[in-house]
Amino acid sequence: MEISRSVHDSALNRQLQLLREVLATQPLDAESVQALESLAHRLMARTQRMRTLGQMLKGKAPPMEAAPAEPATPSYIKAWVERSDEELLRELPELIERLRAKVS
């Protein structure tokens, strides 16, 4: 497995596709909007970490706005992304089911 990809990429993409399908058929209430905003922020943080990782693997220094209190090593960033993906993969099916249940 290459370091610039998460082992969870495929599973995460499948869950996000399911979420898109559910959202296409569901009206959103305030609770759903809040859950989706939280998810969007987490996915943006993941994307930023993956970009930083990609830059590091190309030999470029990470941007200064990256969290300075954290170690800026490829293995640390990769581990953070993997943990985040595992959390998302636990939470996404629950969110999808809650959204589906609102229609029933």
Side-chain angles (χ1 to χ4, degrees):
M1 173 52 84
E2 69 183 88
I3 195 166
S4 63
R5 294 186 43 108
S6 166
V7 297
H8 302 293
D9 279 353
S10 294
L12 190 55
N13 286 334
R14 280 192 301 277
Q15 288 298 310
L16 291 172
Q17 182 58 40
L18 283 173
L19 180 60
R20 279 187 212 94
E21 292 168 8
V22 169
L23 290 174
T25 63
Q26 308 291 332
L28 297 178
D29 60 11
E31 179 185 342
S32 299
V33 169
Q34 186 176 9
L36 290 170
E37 285 175 348
S38 174
L39 174 63
H41 287 289
R42 293 172 66 194
L43 289 170
M44 286 187 306
R46 178 192 190 276
T47 299
Q48 182 58 42
R49 302 267 179 148
M50 291 302 286
R51 282 187 186 136
T52 300
L53 178 60
Q55 289 174 344
M56 292 173 80
L57 294 174
K58 292 176 184 174
K60 297 178 183 175
M64 293 306 292
E65 67 269 6
E70 298 174 351
T73 64
S75 59
Y76 177 85
I77 294 170
K78 174 92 170 162
W80 184 94
V81 168
E82 299 290 339
R83 282 190 306 275
S84 175
D85 287 358
E86 289 167 2
E87 291 171 8
L88 287 166
L89 286 172
R90 282 192 302 272
E91 295 170 17
L92 275 168
E94 295 169 7
L95 176 60
I96 292 167
E97 286 308 310
R98 279 197 325 259
L99 291 169
R100 283 183 177 151
K102 290 187 185 283
V103 166
S104 303

